[in-house]
Amino acid sequence: MSTATFIRQAAVFDGTRLLPAQDVLIHDGTIAAVAPALAVPPGDTVVDGSGKTLLPGLIDSHTHTTHAGQLRQSLVFGVTTELCMGGEPETSRRLRALARSRDDLADLRIATVGATAPHGHPNQLVEIGMLKPFPTVTGPEHADAFVADRVADGADHLKIFIEDGTVAGRPMPTMSDETVAALVTAAHERGLRTAAHTWTRSAVRQAIACGVDILAHPPSDGPSDQDLIEAVAAAGAIVVATLPPLAGMSNASPEFELAQDPRLRPYADPEWLAGLDRIHAIEPGKRMGPLGVRTSDAADAAVRMFRIGVPLLAGTDGTGGDHPTTHGISYHGELDLLVHAGLTPAEALTAATAAPAEAFGLDDRGRVAPGLRADLVLVNGSPLSDITALRDITAIWRRGIRVDRSAQIPVEELV
């Protein structure tokens, strides 16, 4: 469908900086022009941007996407791209294809099966029926074949699990340094970036020693010493904050407040809202088991890494289950937590837009600039002054098509 939209005199956060009072022209799914003053092409739909801020569509750098409803929920809260960090291959491929064919769902990139040791994390979820059995990696000699299978699955990046049981609350086998390094080498040879589950300091040390590109979590099992922070920077690694799931283990979970915000609540999944009440009634320490990790340690490590040059990305680890974190609405909690941890709103917004686009090689999005995809979010006020202004969304465009946030999509269309 040919579309032309003219956004008049909005402040523009282009992914790294604020441009005051710009005209923005969208044509055929891309950003055609950005300038302080443009002539309105005849016949264009004109949107008044005065008093508003236009931003790139948000990118969630850590999700686990299992059904199309999650992609819809992400989109209505301004997240136009999800980066899935592990899922069943056939489901992941189907969802990615569906997202590419529609403009009422967030776009999707997939990892398919993550690499782990036999009986390693997350095999405990197989044991309780939450996951189907999946292939594992027994040693470095099997790494190349494992990665080749993921490429055959259609993976856009490779997920590696480094988890000794701290997160799961019980000891678990992990892969050797040699195996992780072999996985990284095999992935890089095939053009895949690697992202590792690294919720502990020991996992971070193993990941950077083996050349992993992206830490899917900052360490949160205790305070990180400066040597570790500097080692991450020296390795050229990237870190995804993913603070909401940690906060979800306490009564300070941001979702409890987000669900009451009148700017967000009308678009929240009713089933999630009902489940949130049930989760809130669960004793915090029992929501996900005896996890020895803390939000404050993760936030401190992430910000300190960022301050010495480590690229920082925003992500939610959005899944479900016995914690409140979900797709879309939780992303606003992630950005709030980053600002409370010490980032400026502009730094948090870069972590949500330009930084993940660069980290994952998505060179067609993440900024407001001519020639890029018109994945855009328009909000009232200035989220660079108050990050919560990002919740007051007035319009979302996905590939130049304006999203009807209130539309109810029949379930059969999302299968």
Side-chain angles (χ1 to χ4, degrees):
M1 180 187 300
S2 177
T3 60
T5 300
F6 188 91
I7 305 170
R8 189 200 304 271
Q9 292 298 287
V12 171
F13 178 74
D14 70 356
T16 60
R17 62 189 177 128
L18 182 67
L19 306 173
Q22 302 289 301
D23 290 342
V24 178
L25 177 63
I26 301 170
H27 183 71
D28 282 349
T30 63
I31 301 167
V34 180
L38 295 168
V40 182
D44 279 15
T45 299
V46 177
V47 176
D48 182 9
S50 57
K52 299 178 176 67
T53 303
L54 185 72
L55 308 96
L58 309 175
I59 300 172
D60 191 331
S61 294
H62 190 152
T63 69
H64 293 278
T65 312
T66 59
H67 61 83
Q70 295 165 334
L71 295 173
R72 175 63 182 173
Q73 275 294 289
S74 276
L75 185 61
V76 299
F77 291 109
V79 176
T80 54
T81 304
E82 284 196 357
L83 301 169
C84 181
M85 287 294 154
E88 193 277 324
E90 183 177 353
T91 299
S92 295
R93 287 194 303 271
R94 177 179 58 80
L95 291 173
R96 183 179 59 187
L98 185 65
R100 287 175 175 173
S101 70
R102 305 181 63 114
D103 294 307
D104 52 4
L105 306 176
D107 198 11
L108 183 65
R109 296 293 183 274
I110 61 175
T112 74
V113 177
T116 192
H119 307 293
H121 180 74
N123 271 287
Q124 74 276 13
L125 301 181
V126 175
E127 296 173 8
I128 61 175
M130 287 183 63
L131 290 179
K132 296 178 182 178
F134 54 85
T136 56
V137 185
T138 57
E141 67 277 12
H142 297 130
D144 191 76
F146 180 88
V147 176
D149 287 344
R150 303 294 72 75
V151 172
D153 283 342
D156 297 301
H157 46 266
L158 180 70
K159 176 68 176 291
I160 299 172
F161 289 100
I162 305 177
E163 171 56 53
D164 62 6
T166 299
V167 171
R170 68 182 194 189
M172 288 185 172
T174 60
M175 294 179 292
S176 67
D177 287 357
E178 293 78 11
T179 301
V180 175
L183 286 164
V184 172
T185 297
H188 288 171
E189 288 175 348
R190 292 167 172 83
L192 299 186
R193 290 168 172 81
T194 56
H197 171 99
T198 49
W199 238 339
T200 65
R201 289 164 290 180
S202 62
V204 168
R205 291 188 182 96
Q206 183 178 24
I208 60 175
C210 297
V212 166
D213 302 301
I214 298 164
L215 309 176
H217 303 276
S220 54
D221 61 332
S224 293
D225 60 39
Q226 190 62 20
D227 286 347
L228 179 58
I229 300 297
E230 292 176 0
V232 172
I238 297 165
V239 64
V240 187
T242 56
L243 301 178
L246 290 170
M249 300 167 207
S250 73
N251 281 326
S253 174
E255 282 81 5
F256 301 134
E257 183 267 331
L258 294 168
Q260 302 306 317
D261 191 316
R263 297 169 293 185
L264 300 175
R265 188 177 179 89
Y267 305 99
D269 179 0
E271 290 186 11
W272 176 75
L273 289 172
L276 199 63
D277 291 337
R278 176 185 60 79
I279 292 168
H280 195 250
I282 300 172
E283 185 178 339
K286 295 180 180 178
R287 285 187 186 143
M288 289 184 67
L291 302 177
V293 289
R294 297 197 308 171
T295 311
S296 57
D297 289 330
D300 175 72
V303 172
R304 287 165 61 203
M305 289 175 188
F306 175 72
R307 292 295 174 216
I308 63 169
V310 175
L312 178 63
L313 317 181
T316 60
D317 206 358
T319 49
D322 288 335
H323 63 90
T325 308
T326 191
H327 296 245
I329 196 168
S330 290
Y331 200 81
H332 293 269
E334 166 82 332
L335 298 182
D336 291 354
L337 288 166
L338 285 173
V339 170
H340 282 112
L343 264 62
T344 67
E347 290 168 339
L349 291 170
T350 295
T353 55
E358 182 175 356
F360 283 89
L362 304 176
D363 56 8
D364 63 345
R365 68 196 72 187
R367 294 178 182 269
V368 180
L372 300 188
R373 281 169 57 117
D375 289 356
L376 299 166
V377 180
L378 185 67
V379 302
N380 283 316
S382 175
L384 287 93
S385 300
D386 174 7
I387 194 65
T388 69
L390 191 63
R391 305 177 187 182
D392 196 0
I393 296 171
T394 64
I396 300 166
W397 290 268
R398 164 92 150 74
R399 290 189 299 205
I401 305 296
R402 187 161 179 169
V403 176
D404 182 352
R405 300 179 75 202
S406 299
Q408 298 297 313
I409 303 175
V411 172
E412 59 269 20
E413 292 188 22
L414 299 179
V415 175

